[in-house]
PDB file of all heavy atoms in Angstrom:
ATOM      1  N   THR A  42       3.969   7.414   7.572  1.00 83.00           N
ATOM      2  CA  THR A  42       3.523   8.688   6.975  1.00 83.00           C
ATOM      3  C   THR A  42       2.236   8.572   6.312  1.00 83.00           C
ATOM      4  O   THR A  42       1.706   7.497   6.101  1.00 83.00           O
ATOM      5  CB  THR A  42       4.607   9.204   5.957  1.00 83.00           C
ATOM      6  OG1 THR A  42       4.737   8.194   4.989  1.00 83.00           O
ATOM      7  CG2 THR A  42       5.988   9.320   6.610  1.00 83.00           C
ATOM      8  N   ILE A  43       1.620   9.758   5.991  1.00 88.00           N
ATOM      9  CA  ILE A  43       0.390   9.937   5.163  1.00 88.00           C
ATOM     10  C   ILE A  43       0.897  10.233   3.740  1.00 88.00           C
ATOM     11  O   ILE A  43       1.663  11.109   3.576  1.00 88.00           O
ATOM     12  CB  ILE A  43      -0.527  10.817   5.766  1.00 88.00           C
ATOM     13  CG1 ILE A  43      -1.078  10.410   7.192  1.00 88.00           C
ATOM     14  CG2 ILE A  43      -1.779  11.035   4.874  1.00 88.00           C
ATOM     15  CD1 ILE A  43      -1.962  11.380   7.862  1.00 88.00           C
ATOM     16  N   SER A  44       0.331   9.651   2.842  1.00 91.00           N
ATOM     17  CA  SER A  44       0.708   9.865   1.388  1.00 91.00           C
ATOM     18  C   SER A  44       0.344  11.235   1.000  1.00 91.00           C
ATOM     19  O   SER A  44      -0.740  11.836   1.419  1.00 91.00           O
ATOM     20  CB  SER A  44       0.168   8.772   0.484  1.00 91.00           C
ATOM     21  OG  SER A  44      -1.282   9.044   0.313  1.00 91.00           O
ATOM     22  N   ASP A  45       1.175  11.877   0.031  1.00 93.00           N
ATOM     23  CA  ASP A  45       0.755  13.137  -0.563  1.00 93.00           C
ATOM     24  C   ASP A  45      -0.676  13.124  -1.215  1.00 93.00           C
ATOM     25  O   ASP A  45      -1.339  14.134  -1.178  1.00 93.00           O
ATOM     26  CB  ASP A  45       1.853  13.578  -1.445  1.00 93.00           C
ATOM     27  CG  ASP A  45       2.977  14.105  -0.755  1.00 93.00           C
ATOM     28  OD1 ASP A  45       3.104  14.147   0.462  1.00 93.00           O
ATOM     29  OD2 ASP A  45       3.993  14.482  -1.409  1.00 93.00           O
ATOM     30  N   ARG A  46      -0.879  11.974  -1.798  1.00 94.00           N
ATOM     31  CA  ARG A  46      -2.137  11.932  -2.548  1.00 94.00           C
ATOM     32  C   ARG A  46      -3.306  12.012  -1.570  1.00 94.00           C
ATOM     33  O   ARG A  46      -4.330  12.771  -1.915  1.00 94.00           O
ATOM     34  CB  ARG A  46      -2.178  10.564  -3.333  1.00 94.00           C
ATOM     35  CG  ARG A  46      -3.561  10.317  -4.153  1.00 94.00           C
ATOM     36  CD  ARG A  46      -3.517   9.075  -4.877  1.00 94.00           C
ATOM     37  NE  ARG A  46      -4.772   8.865  -5.646  1.00 94.00           N
ATOM     38  CZ  ARG A  46      -5.086   7.799  -6.397  1.00 94.00           C
ATOM     39  NH1 ARG A  46      -4.065   6.824  -6.530  1.00 94.00           N
ATOM     40  NH2 ARG A  46      -6.087   7.641  -6.931  1.00 94.00           N
ATOM     41  N   TRP A  47      -3.249  11.303  -0.541  1.00 94.00           N
ATOM     42  CA  TRP A  47      -4.335  11.343   0.552  1.00 94.00           C
ATOM     43  C   TRP A  47      -4.518  12.680   1.098  1.00 94.00           C
ATOM     44  O   TRP A  47      -5.552  13.212   1.206  1.00 94.00           O
ATOM     45  CB  TRP A  47      -4.019  10.341   1.677  1.00 94.00           C
ATOM     46  CG  TRP A  47      -5.035  10.156   2.700  1.00 94.00           C
ATOM     47  CD1 TRP A  47      -5.992   9.105   2.643  1.00 94.00           C
ATOM     48  CD2 TRP A  47      -5.281  10.948   3.923  1.00 94.00           C
ATOM     49  NE1 TRP A  47      -6.658   9.178   3.801  1.00 94.00           N
ATOM     50  CE2 TRP A  47      -6.417  10.243   4.498  1.00 94.00           C
ATOM     51  CE3 TRP A  47      -4.842  12.031   4.413  1.00 94.00           C
ATOM     52  CZ2 TRP A  47      -7.017  10.712   5.632  1.00 94.00           C
ATOM     53  CZ3 TRP A  47      -5.387  12.565   5.566  1.00 94.00           C
ATOM     54  CH2 TRP A  47      -6.480  11.928   6.220  1.00 94.00           C
ATOM     55  N   LEU A  48      -3.411  13.528   1.356  1.00 95.00           N
ATOM     56  CA  LEU A  48      -3.297  14.758   1.808  1.00 95.00           C
ATOM     57  C   LEU A  48      -3.984  15.777   0.799  1.00 95.00           C
ATOM     58  O   LEU A  48      -4.720  16.691   1.156  1.00 95.00           O
ATOM     59  CB  LEU A  48      -1.951  15.254   2.273  1.00 95.00           C
ATOM     60  CG  LEU A  48      -1.552  14.594   3.532  1.00 95.00           C
ATOM     61  CD1 LEU A  48      -0.007  14.982   3.669  1.00 95.00           C
ATOM     62  CD2 LEU A  48      -2.356  14.945   4.833  1.00 95.00           C
ATOM     63  N   GLU A  49      -3.540  15.557  -0.439  1.00 96.00           N
ATOM     64  CA  GLU A  49      -4.024  16.503  -1.514  1.00 96.00           C
ATOM     65  C   GLU A  49      -5.525  16.430  -1.769  1.00 96.00           C
ATOM     66  O   GLU A  49      -6.112  17.342  -2.046  1.00 96.00           O
ATOM     67  CB  GLU A  49      -3.189  16.144  -2.847  1.00 96.00           C
ATOM     68  CG  GLU A  49      -1.751  16.676  -2.782  1.00 96.00           C
ATOM     69  CD  GLU A  49      -1.035  16.315  -4.038  1.00 96.00           C
ATOM     70  OE1 GLU A  49      -1.677  15.691  -4.933  1.00 96.00           O
ATOM     71  OE2 GLU A  49       0.225  16.570  -4.201  1.00 96.00           O
ATOM     72  N   GLU A  50      -6.097  15.229  -1.529  1.00 96.00           N
ATOM     73  CA  GLU A  50      -7.459  15.120  -1.651  1.00 96.00           C
ATOM     74  C   GLU A  50      -8.222  15.988  -0.660  1.00 96.00           C
ATOM     75  O   GLU A  50      -9.343  16.305  -0.894  1.00 96.00           O
ATOM     76  CB  GLU A  50      -7.855  13.645  -1.538  1.00 96.00           C
ATOM     77  CG  GLU A  50      -7.472  12.813  -2.603  1.00 96.00           C
ATOM     78  CD  GLU A  50      -7.817  11.325  -2.429  1.00 96.00           C
ATOM     79  OE1 GLU A  50      -8.149  10.909  -1.337  1.00 96.00           O
ATOM     80  OE2 GLU A  50      -7.624  10.452  -3.341  1.00 96.00           O
ATOM     81  N   ARG A  51      -7.564  16.272   0.531  1.00 95.00           N
ATOM     82  CA  ARG A  51      -8.228  16.869   1.660  1.00 95.00           C
ATOM     83  C   ARG A  51      -7.752  18.411   1.609  1.00 95.00           C
ATOM     84  O   ARG A  51      -8.520  19.230   2.259  1.00 95.00           O
ATOM     85  CB  ARG A  51      -7.991  16.238   2.965  1.00 95.00           C
ATOM     86  CG  ARG A  51      -8.729  14.976   3.049  1.00 95.00           C
ATOM     87  CD  ARG A  51      -8.139  13.915   3.875  1.00 95.00           C
ATOM     88  NE  ARG A  51      -8.856  12.688   4.000  1.00 95.00           N
ATOM     89  CZ  ARG A  51      -8.813  11.689   3.057  1.00 95.00           C
ATOM     90  NH1 ARG A  51      -8.019  11.790   1.967  1.00 95.00           N
ATOM     91  NH2 ARG A  51      -9.616  10.632   3.151  1.00 95.00           N
ATOM     92  N   TYR A  52      -6.626  18.812   1.330  1.00 97.00           N
ATOM     93  CA  TYR A  52      -6.007  20.094   1.568  1.00 97.00           C
ATOM     94  C   TYR A  52      -5.549  20.835   0.393  1.00 97.00           C
ATOM     95  O   TYR A  52      -5.044  21.864   0.519  1.00 97.00           O
ATOM     96  CB  TYR A  52      -4.810  19.932   2.468  1.00 97.00           C
ATOM     97  CG  TYR A  52      -5.318  19.350   3.900  1.00 97.00           C
ATOM     98  CD1 TYR A  52      -4.949  18.048   4.266  1.00 97.00           C
ATOM     99  CD2 TYR A  52      -6.011  20.114   4.742  1.00 97.00           C
ATOM    100  CE1 TYR A  52      -5.457  17.500   5.420  1.00 97.00           C
ATOM    101  CE2 TYR A  52      -6.483  19.587   5.960  1.00 97.00           C
ATOM    102  CZ  TYR A  52      -6.171  18.361   6.288  1.00 97.00           C
ATOM    103  OH  TYR A  52      -6.626  17.852   7.455  1.00 97.00           O
ATOM    104  N   VAL A  53      -5.735  20.301  -0.802  1.00 97.00           N
ATOM    105  CA  VAL A  53      -5.464  21.081  -2.125  1.00 97.00           C
ATOM    106  C   VAL A  53      -6.873  21.079  -2.767  1.00 97.00           C
ATOM    107  O   VAL A  53      -7.550  20.109  -2.954  1.00 97.00           O
ATOM    108  CB  VAL A  53      -4.460  20.277  -2.965  1.00 97.00           C
ATOM    109  CG1 VAL A  53      -4.253  20.986  -4.334  1.00 97.00           C
ATOM    110  CG2 VAL A  53      -3.129  20.244  -2.297  1.00 97.00           C
ATOM    111  N   ASN A  54      -7.236  22.386  -3.320  1.00 96.00           N
ATOM    112  CA  ASN A  54      -8.433  22.470  -3.958  1.00 96.00           C
ATOM    113  C   ASN A  54      -8.184  23.351  -5.201  1.00 96.00           C
ATOM    114  O   ASN A  54      -7.145  23.543  -5.777  1.00 96.00           O
ATOM    115  CB  ASN A  54      -9.567  23.147  -3.116  1.00 96.00           C
ATOM    116  CG  ASN A  54      -9.054  24.606  -2.575  1.00 96.00           C
ATOM    117  OD1 ASN A  54      -8.237  25.251  -3.286  1.00 96.00           O
ATOM    118  ND2 ASN A  54      -9.649  25.104  -1.481  1.00 96.00           N
TER     119      ASN A  54
END
Side-chain angles (χ1 to χ4, degrees):
T42 60
I43 296 176
S44 72
D45 282 357
R46 180 177 178 180
W47 191 96
L48 291 169
E49 286 176 2
E50 289 175 352
R51 290 156 177 81
Y52 298 106
V53 174
N54 63 22

